[in-house]
Amino acid sequence: MILRLWPGTSEARAAAISEMLEVEGVRTSRSPELNRPIIATLDKVDASLVRRIEELAELESIVHPEGEWRRVDRSFRDGPSVISLGGVPVGGGSVVVIAGPCSVENAKQLDDAARCAQRAGAHVLRGGAFKPRTSPYAFQGLGREGLFLLKEAGLRYGMPIISEIMDAGHLSAFLDHDVDCLQIGARNMQNFTLLKTVATARRPVLLKRGLSATIKEWLQSAEYLAAHGCDDVILCERGIRTFEPATRNTLDLTVLPLLQQWSHLPIMVDPSHAAGIPGLIPPLARAALAAGADGLAVEVHASPEYAKSDGGQALLPGELAGLVADARVYAAVGGRHLAEQLVQPAQQS
Amino acid sequence: MQPQTRNHLAFLDRALLNLLEERARLLADEALEVPANLEDLLLRASGDFSPHALSSVFEAIQAGCCANNGGAQ
C-alpha cells in the first residue's frame, strides 16, 4: 500500500511513521516527491497495523496499487514524472521524438541518419550496436565500435543517444561511451538480472514492452528497475504479438490512457516495430499522440533498401520530417508541446 | 444554442488556442517571421469559413506571433 501524507507534514513525522512500520517488520520506501511525504510499504501489512495507520492525523489517503508495484505507481508521485533524457525532458507535457537507424552499420550510414534525424526535428538519436536478431545468421551489430560511432554522431549533431543493452556484461561499454539512455528491448523485458544491473548505472532506461507481456508484467519490470536504484524509467509500447499477421505486431494503444492512471512514468510509442510497414507509421504515430503518448521512437534510414536490419520498416528522411511536424500539431491540440531540440540544425556547423 | 454545440465550440476554441500558442512558441527564437502562405491556405479552404475572414485571421495570427518575438518582421 502507499500512504499519502498531507502536504506540509514534517520530515520528522514522516520518518517516525516509516520507523513505526519498520519496527513492525514492514519495509518502506520513500517517494522523492518534495511536495508531500509519500511512503510505500513493501511487505504485507496486517489488519491491526492498518487500523493504526488509519488513525494517523498526518494520513491523507491509503492507495492500493493495481499490481505488485509501488515506486512506479501513480500515487507514489504528485504528478507525472518528467525524465531528463540527456537534457531533453520527457513527460509532463513535453513530447519527444527518438529517431535513428535500427542498427549502426558504419560511420557514413550513421552520419546520414543522424543528420536526417536532426534536420527533421528529432531530439534523440537511436541506433543498435548489440542487436537481438531472431536469426543467428543475421547481422548482430558492431558492438563497442557501434557505440563509439553512435556517441560520435550524437555529439556531432547535438543529440543525446540511446541504444539497447542485451547483456549485463556490456554495461561498462555503455558507460565508457556515455550512452545517455539504456534501452531494454522487448525480448529482455523480464530479464531481471539484466534489469537489476542496468538499474545500478543510474541512467534513464527506456523499457520496451515484451512481445507477449501483460501491462502488469511490464510495470512489474519497471518496478524492478526502480527498486534497484533507477527511478528514471520511460515505458515504450512497441506492439504485442496477436493472431493478426497483416502487421508485424499489433500496436496496443489502450496502454496509454490506462498507464496514465496506473503509473507516473512517461510512455512512448514505437510505431515502427509495431507496424513493420512504413506507410502505417505516420497514422499510428498520430493516434499514439492523440491517445497521450509522451513521445515516439521511430527508425529512419537514408537508404532503407541497403539497411542490414529492419530496412523494410524504416522511414525515409522526408517522411520523418512529416512525422515530427504532425507530432507538433497533435501535441499542441492536446495542450502539450514538442520538446526543444538541444541543438537546432541551423546552429550546426 | 444547444449545450452540446456550446461544449464542442469550447473544445475547438481551446484546441485553436493551443495551436496558436504552439505557433508562437515555434517562432519565439526566430528573428524573422515566415509569412503564412495565404494563397495555399485559401486553396485548401472549403469555404465554410469565409475566405475574406480567413485572410484577416491569418494576418492577426502573424501579428500576434510577431508581438511575442519583439515585433521582428
Side-chain angles (χ1 to χ4, degrees):
Chain A
M1 64 174 66
I2 293 170
L3 316 180
R4 290 172 61 84
L5 307 186
W6 289 105
T9 300
S10 70
E11 181 54 39
R13 278 303 299 152
I17 292 168
S18 289
E19 194 181 334
M20 175 188 93
L21 294 161
E22 299 272 351
V23 165
E24 297 293 333
V26 176
R27 289 171 297 163
T28 62
S29 179
R30 278 288 298 275
S31 166
E33 187 62 58
L34 298 174
N35 297 329
R36 70 161 82 220
I38 301 174
I39 303 168
T41 62
L42 307 182
D43 299 298
K44 185 171 167 49
V45 182
D46 67 34
S48 63
L49 187 52
V50 170
R51 280 193 294 277
R52 281 172 63 195
I53 292 168
E54 286 171 342
E55 286 166 5
L56 291 168
E58 295 84 359
L59 182 72
E60 184 195 72
S61 61
I62 295 178
V63 177
H64 297 279
E66 293 287 335
E68 290 298 313
W69 55 80
R70 301 287 184 275
R71 298 188 67 88
V72 302
D73 192 76
R74 183 72 181 78
S75 63
F76 200 62
R77 297 286 177 90
D78 255 357
S81 286
V82 181
I83 292 171
S84 174
L85 203 167
V88 178
V90 185
S94 175
V95 172
V96 167
V97 177
I98 297 173
C102 176
S103 303
V104 177
E105 299 168 14
N106 56 60
K108 183 180 181 312
Q109 166 256 5
L110 187 63
D111 185 75
D112 287 346
R115 189 174 57 252
C116 295
Q118 196 225 19
R119 283 185 180 167
H123 305 87
V124 179
L125 179 64
R126 56 148 293 147
F130 298 90
K131 295 302 299 175
R133 306 304 301 281
T134 306
S135 165
Y137 309 114
F139 177 59
Q140 304 287 310
L142 295 181
R144 288 182 70 98
E145 188 195 347
L147 293 179
F148 172 78
L149 294 174
L150 187 65
K151 188 66 190 180
E152 208 179 43
L155 291 173
R156 195 177 312 127
Y157 292 100
M159 300 171 85
I161 60 168
I162 177 170
S163 195
E164 178 175 350
I165 181 165
M166 291 169 56
D167 188 317
H170 295 155
L171 182 58
S172 60
F174 280 72
L175 297 179
D176 289 348
H177 292 94
D178 196 22
V179 176
D180 298 283
C181 181
L182 308 176
Q183 177 181 314
I184 300 288
R187 292 166 182 81
N188 273 316
M189 188 206 81
Q190 286 187 307
N191 181 342
F192 300 121
T193 308
L194 178 63
L195 295 178
K196 285 192 269 188
T197 304
V198 164
T200 63
R202 308 283 166 143
R203 303 244 162 169
V205 173
L206 184 94
L207 179 65
K208 287 205 163 185
R209 183 182 184 183
L211 280 70
S212 302
T214 66
I215 297 170
K216 288 189 173 182
E217 288 166 343
W218 188 17
L219 271 188
Q220 203 64 64
S221 291
E223 183 76 9
Y224 254 93
L225 289 164
H228 288 85
C230 176
D231 283 321
D232 290 343
V233 180
I234 301 165
L235 301 168
C236 184
E237 161 66 29
R238 44 78 74 202
I240 49 174
R241 185 165 288 182
T242 68
F243 54 81
E244 177 54 66
T247 52
R248 182 173 176 176
N249 292 288
T250 298
L251 184 61
D252 180 10
L253 291 180
T254 53
V255 302
L256 292 161
L258 188 65
L259 282 176
Q260 281 163 359
Q261 291 175 26
W262 285 4
S263 179
H264 57 80
L265 300 177
I267 314 155
M268 299 190 73
V269 166
D270 171 356
S272 298
H273 282 89
I277 301 169
L280 302 188
I281 295 169
L284 289 177
R286 292 193 290 269
L289 291 168
D294 293 299
L296 303 166
V298 292
E299 293 186 349
V300 64
H301 201 293
S303 311
E305 65 276 25
Y306 298 116
K308 289 186 175 176
S309 63
D310 286 352
Q313 67 188 33
L315 292 175
L316 290 166
E319 294 170 329
L320 176 64
L323 182 140
V324 176
D326 272 353
R328 184 179 294 282
V329 172
Y330 277 71
V333 167
R336 300 177 299 153
H337 62 274
L338 203 61
E340 295 282 330
Q341 285 181 292
L342 291 185
V343 175
Q344 305 284 319
Q347 293 172 250
Q348 198 61 49
S349 57
Chain B
M1 186 184 291
Q2 294 291 320
Q4 192 184 26
T5 307
R6 196 188 302 276
N7 273 345
H8 288 185
L9 280 177
F11 276 105
L12 280 173
D13 289 346
R14 264 178 259 161
L16 284 170
L17 173 65
N18 289 339
L19 284 169
L20 290 174
E21 289 191 332
E22 183 60 21
R23 191 180 194 280
R25 189 198 309 272
L26 188 61
L27 293 168
D29 298 325
E30 296 289 331
L32 292 171
E33 157 73 296
V34 180
N37 188 344
L38 261 180
E39 203 173 306
D40 177 64
L41 290 169
L42 288 170
L43 280 175
R44 290 167 186 268
S46 66
D48 290 333
F49 193 89
S50 127
H52 177 70
L54 193 65
S55 301
S56 305
V57 163
F58 273 93
E59 279 165 20
I61 288 172
Q62 277 179 228
C65 290
C66 287
N68 275 350
N69 63 10
Q73 286 282 1

